[in-house]
Amino acid sequence: MTTPLIALEQVYKAYGPKAVLVNLNLAVYAGEHVVVLGRSGSGKSVAIKCIAGLTKIDQGVVRLMGHDITHSDENALSPLRQKMGFLFQSAALYDSMTVGDNLAFTLHHNQPGLAPEVLEKKVRATLQNVGLESAINLMPGALSGGMRKRIGLARALIIDPEVLLYDEPTAGLDPITAKEITDLMLRIKADYHPTAVIITHDLACAAHTADRIVVLHEGQIIQSGTYEALAQSEHPMVHAFFNP
């Protein structure tokens, strides 16, 4: 049987008396795009932070690209993060740097010693891939919400990631811009072939980007399958989500 590229095994995470993830099991295989769908507070963002090693779990096992990272420190995680792109919900750009410098900083940290001309060529090519080469000298404060998401994606892509993590990629965007981001995600899937976990409550984004959807409720997966299968589910929580 194929080994998953990402695996959460019996993961339990609590903040004080509040259990956020409860014996969560999730396996994501190479090249697969898995959407984690759920209402606000269901544990989606905590789950993706556990995958990235940004949040330590209380019980269970987290495996990433063949490595048990459950108890890994920053030194052990660093080589794996060099193969992983993360689109934060807020895009998390460095506001004191231009768009180009944001990407260059990430690439330099990931691949130190690159010649300046090689670095600049890579920055421009990646910005072109997200349709924003013209924004290279802009400051993040001058960008719209949709542009910030695109630049955040470019920063994640510039390292040619094996794993791509999306945390609410369309949150806070108007429907037209959200569709543009969803279309960009599909193009990235076709061009870069990453393994991806997509955290969202946006049904349109889930419908278009997912190979498989898992529905999270109170820290547990209550159902998984294709969008079409889940849309026909008789599970009351899943039915309510797909038929508001």
Side-chain angles (χ1 to χ4, degrees), residues 25-89:
N25 291 291
L26 174 66
V28 182
Y29 295 89
E32 191 177 25
H33 275 49
V34 171
V35 164
V36 181
L37 199 64
R39 298 175 64 181
S40 297
S42 60
K44 306 186 304 296
S45 289
V46 174
I48 204 171
K49 288 175 182 174
C50 291
I51 293 170
L54 297 173
T55 294
K56 296 301 181 183
I57 64 175
D58 299 325
Q59 297 175 29
V61 177
V62 180
R63 303 185 194 278
L64 179 63
M65 292 179 265
H67 298 269
D68 182 343
I69 66 165
T70 311
H71 304 293
S72 296
D73 59 18
E74 290 298 312
N75 288 334
L77 284 168
S78 183
L80 297 176
R81 286 183 178 152
Q82 290 176 5
K83 303 174 184 178
M84 179 172 60
F86 198 132
L87 176 63
F88 293 91
Q89 185 172 343

Side-chain angles (χ1 to χ4, degrees), residues 49-221:
K49 288 175 182 174
C50 291
I51 293 170
L54 297 173
T55 294
K56 296 301 181 183
I57 64 175
D58 299 325
Q59 297 175 29
V61 177
V62 180
R63 303 185 194 278
L64 179 63
M65 292 179 265
H67 298 269
D68 182 343
I69 66 165
T70 311
H71 304 293
S72 296
D73 59 18
E74 290 298 312
N75 288 334
L77 284 168
S78 183
L80 297 176
R81 286 183 178 152
Q82 290 176 5
K83 303 174 184 178
M84 179 172 60
F86 198 132
L87 176 63
F88 293 91
Q89 185 172 343
S90 63
L93 303 177
Y94 299 112
D95 288 333
S96 61
M97 296 182 182
T98 66
V99 164
D101 287 343
N102 263 274
L103 270 66
F105 179 83
T106 300
L107 184 58
H108 177 74
H109 178 75
N110 194 266
Q111 300 176 31
L114 280 180
E117 61 273 16
V118 174
L119 191 148
E120 182 177 358
K121 183 177 180 181
K122 180 75 170 179
V123 167
R124 289 188 176 277
T126 307
L127 285 173
Q128 188 175 38
N129 284 346
V130 301
L132 280 178
E133 186 180 1
S134 61
I136 190 168
N137 292 318
L138 294 180
M139 301 298 290
L143 305 176
S144 67
M147 292 172 73
R148 290 180 71 91
K149 293 279 190 179
R150 285 177 177 270
I151 299 304
L153 264 176
R155 192 176 63 180
L157 289 172
I158 199 165
I159 62 171
D160 296 318
E162 186 173 348
V163 169
L164 193 52
L165 306 177
Y166 296 91
D167 189 7
E168 301 283 9
T170 60
L173 303 178
D174 63 81
I176 294 174
T177 306
K179 185 181 184 304
E180 290 173 351
I181 295 299
T182 298
D183 290 345
L184 178 58
M185 292 167 66
L186 288 173
R187 203 165 79 238
I188 288 167
K189 182 179 181 180
D191 293 347
Y192 288 80
H193 311 291
T195 301
V197 176
I198 303 162
I199 302 297
T200 188
H201 60 267
D202 181 343
L203 286 176
C205 179
H208 287 95
T209 60
D211 297 313
R212 176 165 51 99
I213 298 173
V214 300
V215 182
L216 203 61
H217 177 63
E218 295 182 349
Q220 294 180 307
I221 293 173

